[in-house]
Amino acid sequence: MELLKQRIRQDGIVKTADILKVDSFLNHQCDITLIEAIATEFKRRFANRPINKIMTIEASGISIACLTAQQFGVPLVFAKKAQSINLEGDVFTARVESFTHRRVFDVILSKKYIGPEDHVLIVDDFLAYGCALYGLIEIAEMAQATIEGIGIVIEKGFQQGGRSLRERGYQIESLAVIESMDPATNTVFFQ
Amino acid sequence: MELLKQRIRQDGIVKTADILKVDSFLNHQCDITLIEAIATEFKRRFANRPINKIMTIEASGISIACLTAQQFGVPLVFAKKAQSINLEGDVFTARVESFTHRRVFDVILSKKYIGPEDHVLIVDDFLAYGCALYGLIEIAEMAQATIEGIGIVIEKGFQQGGRSLRERGYQIESLAVIESMDPATNTVFFQ
């Protein structure tokens, strides 16, 4: 998706060869016009799928999921990252390790909001090692929901998450796949 | 907002006289059509304000802020609840106590995404004691931004947050204000 790649080149900050910051437009401040274009592109790429729910994980996936849900005319559900006293006890839980935050946490989703009748599109801002995605997939499988596809805004192609998920047979659509990054010149190379 | 009150009556679960669960449509599973109507109502109530940014806090405020930002044609920025290794060091921080989660946490927002040029509308799903809102207000004030108003989906009118914030002179628009709740009959009484 050329508009997205242009924006990453223009406003992304390459902190290290592994870490790209896009918090000026995607996951801290959010440019709604850009995210609408992202959502429209997801709709185009998964148009033939009988999707009835968008699934993501808090927090940075929510704005993307929200506008994608609007495009598909379906609800969204977002998994939570820690047990809250305000969630019902009857939840699906998957243990996940975060690369970004260097910690282990539980991904939690109420059993009321995902089940065998659901055909979900999972969306998220980044795919690196795929840890958060594996948590969402595990929950969807526990719920016997059908995973119709996975929509990713930015995939770090040099990390193994995308490859191992594709080997499992999922349709993964990443709108910008990074080949490598150079922090010295703040350059992002796309596949 | 009658549509919202009807939905709360229909799908809200009164856990105790203090705790209302609306996670089937607002803050775990999200009904985009309802949230679009909420966003449209915020636009109507703050139409005369020169708002150039929507501000909220992760995670449950984001879907509301996202569709509100779409209505206003402006970006949103969401404060984070814990220090991330992926946030720049140059941040505003306010300490907040959560009623729902019974813990103290830091509200964090990058100095790059709020400043004296900003006229913000703060939105959130709930107003009870107002702790999270005070954190957002403190950050907006540190940044010398103008707070044009505060849009709340559900206010617990029997708790003091709304009163003390209105006494400070803010225009607070709560789309459903709860007078009291009866867990025995699962009834919500609105003001």
Side-chain angles (χ1 to χ4, degrees):
Chain A
M1 184 182 167
E2 197 48 42
L3 181 72
L4 172 64
K5 290 178 185 172
Q6 280 172 15
R7 189 60 175 274
I8 293 168
R9 283 192 197 98
Q10 181 189 304
D11 292 332
I13 296 173
V14 180
K15 299 291 287 183
T16 69
D18 288 340
I19 296 180
L20 172 69
K21 283 167 54 66
V22 289
D23 64 5
S24 66
F25 58 94
L26 193 63
N27 52 20
H28 185 20
Q29 186 167 253
C30 302
D31 178 338
I32 297 298
T33 306
L34 178 70
I35 299 175
E36 281 174 339
I38 287 166
T40 304
E41 182 65 16
F42 284 146
K43 177 73 168 105
R44 194 180 70 76
R45 296 197 187 194
F46 295 101
N48 61 339
R49 298 276 193 167
I51 289 158
N52 72 343
K53 196 167 281 183
I54 309 298
M55 185 181 182
T56 191
I57 185 164
E58 65 178 12
S60 45
I62 297 175
S63 61
I64 299 154
C66 188
L67 296 178
T68 304
Q70 188 180 47
Q71 282 293 323
F72 281 88
V74 300
L76 77 94
V77 63
F78 63 89
K80 308 206 175 192
K81 279 184 181 163
Q83 189 67 53
S84 154
I85 61 158
N86 218 3
L87 268 182
E88 295 280 51
D90 215 12
V91 296
F92 293 114
T93 303
R95 182 140 291 186
V96 155
E97 189 174 352
S98 166
F99 167 72
T100 313
H101 299 86
R102 291 179 192 158
R103 64 185 176 90
V104 173
F105 58 90
D106 285 329
V107 178
I108 298 161
L109 204 148
S110 170
K111 289 182 180 177
K112 287 188 290 184
Y113 307 130
I114 187 161
E117 71 284 4
D118 283 321
H119 291 252
V120 300
L121 173 63
I122 298 175
V123 301
D124 208 357
D125 56 343
F126 272 101
L127 168 55
Y129 295 103
C131 304
L133 277 182
Y134 274 113
L136 292 173
I137 289 167
E138 196 179 327
I139 285 174
E141 287 177 347
M142 282 190 275
Q144 299 181 273
T146 305
I147 297 170
E148 292 290 343
I150 299 171
I152 298 294
V153 181
I154 303 170
E155 178 178 339
K156 293 175 177 172
F158 53 89
Q159 286 166 351
Q160 76 270 26
R163 193 174 60 236
S164 56
L165 284 166
R166 284 184 185 91
E167 281 168 3
R168 287 180 59 175
Y170 297 114
Q171 182 186 347
I172 304 182
E173 297 287 342
S174 297
L175 305 188
V177 182
I178 296 172
E179 175 86 38
S180 65
M181 299 190 287
D182 181 1
T185 58
N186 199 55
T187 310
V188 179
F189 301 95
F190 295 101
Q191 283 184 3
Chain B
M1 184 181 168
E2 198 49 43
L3 180 72
L4 172 65
K5 290 177 186 172
Q6 280 172 15
R7 187 62 176 271
I8 294 168
R9 283 193 197 97
Q10 180 190 306
D11 292 331
I13 296 173
V14 179
K15 299 291 287 182
T16 70
D18 287 340
I19 296 181
L20 172 68
K21 283 168 54 65
V22 289
D23 62 8
S24 67
F25 58 93
L26 193 64
N27 52 20
H28 186 20
Q29 186 166 252
C30 301
D31 178 338
I32 297 299
T33 306
L34 179 71
I35 300 175
E36 281 174 338
I38 287 167
T40 303
E41 183 65 16
F42 284 147
K43 176 72 169 111
R44 194 181 69 79
R45 296 196 187 196
F46 294 102
N48 60 340
R49 299 277 193 165
I51 289 158
N52 72 343
K53 196 168 281 184
I54 309 298
M55 186 180 181
T56 191
I57 184 165
E58 67 178 10
S60 46
I62 297 175
S63 61
I64 300 154
C66 188
L67 295 178
T68 304
Q70 188 180 47
Q71 282 292 324
F72 280 88
V74 301
L76 77 92
V77 63
F78 63 88
K80 307 203 175 194
K81 279 183 181 165
Q83 189 70 53
S84 154
I85 61 158
N86 218 2
L87 268 182
E88 295 280 52
D90 215 12
V91 296
F92 293 115
T93 304
R95 182 141 290 189
V96 155
E97 189 174 351
S98 165
F99 166 72
T100 312
H101 298 86
R102 290 179 192 157
R103 63 184 176 92
V104 173
F105 58 90
D106 286 329
V107 178
I108 298 162
L109 206 148
S110 169
K111 289 184 180 175
K112 287 188 289 185
Y113 308 129
I114 187 162
E117 70 285 4
D118 283 322
H119 291 252
V120 299
L121 173 63
I122 297 174
V123 301
D124 209 357
D125 56 344
F126 271 101
L127 169 55
Y129 295 103
C131 304
L133 277 182
Y134 274 113
L136 291 174
I137 289 167
E138 196 179 327
I139 285 174
E141 288 177 346
M142 282 191 275
Q144 299 181 278
T146 305
I147 297 170
E148 293 290 343
I150 299 170
I152 299 294
V153 181
I154 303 172
E155 178 177 340
K156 293 176 178 172
F158 53 90
Q159 286 166 347
Q160 75 271 26
R163 193 173 62 237
S164 57
L165 284 167
R166 285 184 184 88
E167 282 169 2
R168 288 179 61 174
Y170 296 113
Q171 182 187 347
I172 304 183
E173 298 287 343
S174 297
L175 304 189
V177 182
I178 296 171
E179 175 86 37
S180 65
M181 300 190 287
D182 181 0
T185 58
N186 200 52
T187 311
V188 178
F189 301 96
F190 295 102
Q191 281 185 5

